Amino acid sequence: MRLPLNQDQRKGLVGAALLSVIVLAIVGTYALWGESYQARILYATFVNLLVVVGLQVFTGNANITGFSHAAFMGIAAYAAAICVTPAAMKLISLPDAPWGLNAFDLSPIVSAMIALAITGVLGLLTGLIVVRLSGVGVTIVSIAILVIVHSIFLHRTDIFKGNQALFGIPKVFGLPHITGLVIIAIFAARLFRESAIGLQLRACADDEAGARSMGVDVYRVRLIAWVLGTMFFATAGIAYAFFLGTISARPFYFNFVFLTVAMLILGGLRSVSGAVFGTLLISIGLEVVRWLETGPTLAGLKLPQMLGLSGLLLGVVIVAVMAFLPNGIMGNREIEDLFRRKTKGD
Amino acid sequence: MDYAIQQTLNALSFGAEYALIALGLAIVFSIMGLVNFAHGEVVAFGGYSMVIVSTLLTNSPWILMAGVLIACVVASVALERVAFRTVRGADLTTGLLTAFGVSIILQNLFLLLGSPRPMAATQFIFLDKTLTFGSVRVSSLQIYETLATFVAIGILMTFLRKTTLGMAMRAASLDFEMVRLCGIRANRVIAGAFAISGLLAGLACIFIMARRGSVQPHMGFDPVLVAFVACVIGGFGSLPGAVLGGFLLGIAEVVVLVLLPQSAGGMAQAAVFTMVALVLIWRPDGILSPAREKGDKI
């Protein structure tokens, strides 16, 4: 019988399964020995993981840096939040919302579907523009998207509450949900990378003219990856809103963008395993540094309070990786390549 | 009529500030293909140098201005030496992300060593007076800013056309290898570009400080974002493009502020960025993008 997947795709399944084992091991460790405040940190890490894996889909495979992911995440988070919050609560939190936005409520699943659909349509519309631009053009348009969406969040306080919190969202998600989503995301991103479209996209990144001459429809494959990426960001946004129960515009802006981009490039743009490892490493590093920032007492020595240390570390990681490890930790390798013995010609 | 003059001057002075910073980005980009996002932190560093010099040394505004210019040049050249030399010749994304990293590091250093809150530095505020010509009232700062920008652009043009280093820099933007083969030191050309970029940042810093009267860690980010946009609109790597883009953005911002109702003031930035996106769809490489030929450096 002929298997439906080729060799690389089967390798991809193994790799994704290995990554899922790592994710499950982390959750298991938490379940056995973790403290309850760590659930929040773990959840935030997994939301970041969803975003970074989604970034890998477009930025990694196409090797074009986009900065608009925080905007799509925000759109989905707000869309889901506005749909799912009970009408009685919305009369308090959004008293002057237009178009009867505060007069209905939907089940979490329908809300999530609507949020995904809205983000997907916006992703498609922006994608039609973005895929036609060259390197810096994509970066600037993605920054433009980020700034436009952020100013709309800030300005339309009647719908989005601006810098104030939009509260009263039912907390329907917990650690099990996000773990499931992360594992699905890892499999999806890995299978996309190994699929025909993913391969074509990586070929475009290496040599656009060459790929074109081999019959690759560059715009089409970039558009598919862009829209697929926005779906990951939307999922992350929905998961964020459904867990925290309150959202504001502030987290969906440049700081978050830098954080996630740093995670991606530390691990290595080109591989899904790199995205996962980068996220986990930076998350752990940041937790340690945040603890140092508060000025703890270490071996009898009272350290001073140092605001800005975590940001400093993030910048140092980006610069050091770019200078000494331009391909990140993983480079072009995936997790299963680490276990394979090197054969001749490899 | 008064209103029209006032708004024209607004547009010119906004544009001048954006053009100054955009030129600093463009001159570095044209030579080494680096989008220097840390440029805004050079501006912020100029502001902090004011605080340092005025506490340690003197409050004389003229010495402080010289101090700001020197500090910005030194900071800019030092950044090249420490951070950007390692990524010279790397692809665009690598350079862009390195610059972002440097910018984050500097912002957080300002935060750690300075203060998260704005620090007062009001020595340049005297530049901002209200002048009255007949019935027209204008700000002197806006006039100085516009004039200084035109003078700076004039001097820069003379420098690029008449001096050996200037000509080498123009040649380097077309073909760096060839310039090196002609016996010009690569390091000197690049350091020159960063020094000029720092000088322009220092000039912009003086005017920004005269308007704000305080310095804070993140103050460089918004101007450099706008300048980046100006460069992209004008055509990245083109110096006239950067100036054009800067002034176009200044005009666009004032037009949007005048046309939009007061209540929608917060949407000005969104409107400007929407226009930018539209310009890019029309001309993906910018309005004055240099003609690209095979073998040209981007």
Side-chain angles (χ1 to χ4, degrees):
Chain A
M1 195 185 85
R2 203 172 148 271
L3 283 162
L5 298 174
N6 68 24
Q7 196 194 350
D8 282 338
Q9 288 161 345
R10 267 178 280 148
K11 263 180 59 190
L13 281 181
V14 175
L18 284 172
L19 291 174
S20 309
V21 170
I22 294 177
V23 168
L24 286 175
I26 293 171
V27 176
T29 317
Y30 162 74
L32 288 178
W33 298 292
E35 315 231 0
S36 57
Y37 77 92
Q38 286 162 335
R40 221 180 151 92
I41 299 171
L42 195 54
Y43 196 92
T45 307
F46 281 173
V47 169
N48 289 343
L49 190 52
L50 276 178
V51 174
V52 178
V53 169
L55 268 181
Q56 200 278 330
V57 169
F58 181 78
T59 297
N61 289 327
N63 198 16
I64 301 175
T65 316
F67 287 136
S68 55
H69 46 284
F72 291 112
M73 190 179 160
I75 291 169
Y78 272 109
I82 289 171
C83 287
V84 79
T85 309
M89 184 59 100
K90 273 194 286 195
L91 284 177
I92 307 168
S93 61
L94 297 170
D96 358 282
W99 314 310
L101 280 178
N102 54 3
F104 71 100
D105 47 59
L106 300 165
S107 77
I109 292 180
V110 180
S111 306
M113 289 297 154
I114 291 176
L116 279 175
I118 291 175
T119 319
V121 170
L122 288 175
L124 184 66
L125 291 178
T126 50
L128 286 174
I129 301 165
V130 164
V131 294
R132 268 152 223 280
L133 300 170
S134 56
V136 194
V138 175
T139 310
I140 179 68
V141 170
S142 67
I143 289 179
I145 295 171
L146 185 65
V147 173
I148 293 169
V149 171
H150 189 72
S151 5
I152 293 175
F153 284 161
L154 284 189
H155 181 67
R156 290 305 298 258
T157 41
D158 50 345
I159 310 177
F160 303 111
K161 303 281 284 180
N163 261 333
Q164 284 174 301
L166 174 61
F167 54 86
I169 309 160
K171 299 180 186 177
V172 289
F173 266 29
L175 213 43
H177 299 89
I178 192 87
T179 312
L181 285 176
V182 162
I183 290 174
I184 294 172
I186 289 174
F187 271 94
R190 189 62 210 276
L191 285 178
F192 175 78
R193 182 180 185 266
E194 308 301 343
S195 71
I197 294 171
L199 188 62
Q200 290 174 358
L201 195 58
R202 283 184 285 147
C204 299
D206 290 337
D207 183 351
E208 189 178 327
R212 228 181 257 277
S213 72
M214 299 297 285
V216 174
D217 187 345
V218 178
Y219 296 154
R220 184 174 149 266
V221 291
R222 277 191 192 155
L223 183 62
I224 292 172
W226 176 266
V227 176
L228 187 66
T230 60
M231 290 291 98
F232 283 77
F233 309 144
T235 313
I238 296 165
Y240 180 86
F242 280 2
F243 177 75
L244 282 183
T246 138
I247 53 176
S248 74
R250 199 185 294 266
F252 306 115
Y253 208 41
F254 275 104
N255 282 344
F256 182 75
V257 169
F258 291 142
L259 175 69
T260 43
V261 169
M263 288 170 169
L264 183 64
I265 62 175
L266 171 65
L269 288 175
R270 297 183 63 106
S271 90
V272 178
S273 317
V276 175
F277 292 153
T279 311
L280 296 179
L281 278 177
I282 289 201
S283 301
I284 295 168
L286 278 184
E287 273 320 306
V288 174
V289 171
R290 282 205 188 106
W291 171 72
L292 284 177
E293 249 178 2
T294 56
T297 312
L298 201 64
L301 196 69
K302 176 85 179 81
L303 295 175
Q305 198 177 354
M306 290 174 287
L307 283 176
L309 202 59
S310 54
L312 195 65
L313 174 95
L314 210 59
V316 170
V317 166
I318 296 182
V319 174
V321 170
M322 281 295 140
F324 304 115
L325 258 180
N327 293 321
I329 298 172
M330 297 299 285
N332 214 2
R333 289 170 304 171
E334 289 285 357
I335 184 165
E336 71 276 3
D337 297 329
L338 300 179
F339 295 106
R340 219 165 36 133
R341 199 169 298 144
K342 284 218 162 134
T343 50
K344 257 184 199 166
D346 236 13
Chain B
M1 185 59 202
D2 312 355
Y3 188 66
I5 292 177
Q6 177 55 50
Q7 294 300 349
T8 314
L9 199 58
N10 268 342
L12 276 177
S13 68
F14 280 170
E17 187 187 312
Y18 299 153
L20 274 182
I21 303 180
L23 261 179
L25 288 182
I27 199 157
V28 167
F29 184 86
S30 68
I31 288 169
M32 64 178 282
L34 172 81
V35 184
N36 186 10
F37 255 101
H39 196 60
E41 277 56 53
V42 174
V43 175
F45 181 76
Y48 279 102
S49 76
M50 261 178 83
V51 177
I52 297 170
V53 173
S54 68
T55 17
L56 295 181
L57 222 54
T58 165
N59 257 329
S60 150
W62 305 110
I63 297 179
L64 281 177
M65 278 184 200
V68 167
L69 292 179
I70 294 170
C72 287
V73 170
V74 170
S76 184
V77 173
L79 282 185
E80 189 274 323
R81 187 67 196 83
V82 175
F84 297 129
R85 197 161 280 191
T86 48
V87 294
R88 198 186 284 176
D91 64 25
L92 200 102
T93 313
T94 311
L96 182 78
L97 290 172
T98 309
F100 262 121
V102 171
S103 145
I104 299 174
I105 293 178
L106 289 178
Q107 279 184 18
N108 285 288
L109 276 180
F110 297 150
L111 203 67
L112 264 172
L113 305 176
S115 152
R117 278 182 293 282
M119 294 165 91
T122 51
Q123 289 87 348
F124 296 160
I125 287 204
F126 76 94
L127 290 173
D128 197 3
K129 288 201 188 77
T130 310
L131 303 180
T132 319
F133 297 107
S135 64
V136 186
R137 295 159 67 85
V138 292
S139 141
S140 58
L141 178 64
Q142 293 188 326
I143 296 176
Y144 294 143
E145 195 166 11
T146 314
L147 288 181
T149 305
F150 282 117
V151 170
I153 292 171
I155 294 175
L156 183 61
M157 263 166 55
T158 323
F159 171 78
L160 288 175
R161 279 172 208 283
K162 303 288 180 199
T163 65
T164 315
L165 185 60
M167 281 190 276
M169 284 165 71
R170 279 197 300 146
S173 68
L174 291 176
D175 189 341
F176 203 172
E177 285 309 307
M178 192 61 212
V179 175
R180 296 179 71 176
L181 287 176
C182 290
I184 309 264
R185 282 171 186 271
N187 285 346
R188 194 168 293 168
V189 174
I190 291 185
F194 272 91
I196 292 176
S197 147
L199 198 62
L200 294 167
L203 203 54
C205 176
I206 291 174
F207 292 116
I208 292 176
M209 292 305 293
R211 196 170 308 132
R212 293 171 56 108
S214 70
V215 52
Q216 69 169 85
H218 305 291
M219 67 180 262
F221 190 76
D222 281 337
V224 92
L225 194 61
V226 178
F228 176 57
V229 173
C231 282
V232 175
I233 297 180
F236 230 110
S238 146
L239 301 189
V243 176
L244 174 75
F247 278 103
L248 279 182
L249 272 185
I251 294 168
E253 199 169 314
V254 169
V255 168
V256 166
L257 282 175
V258 170
L259 291 186
L260 280 184
Q262 199 76 50
S263 63
M267 299 301 275
Q269 216 180 6
V272 169
F273 273 84
T274 313
M275 286 196 273
V276 168
L278 293 178
V279 168
L280 278 186
I281 298 164
W282 166 53
R283 283 195 69 121
D285 292 323
I287 300 173
L288 294 186
S289 54
R292 239 184 250 163
E293 285 168 37
K294 213 175 174 189
D296 272 6
K297 239 171 63 81
I298 303 172

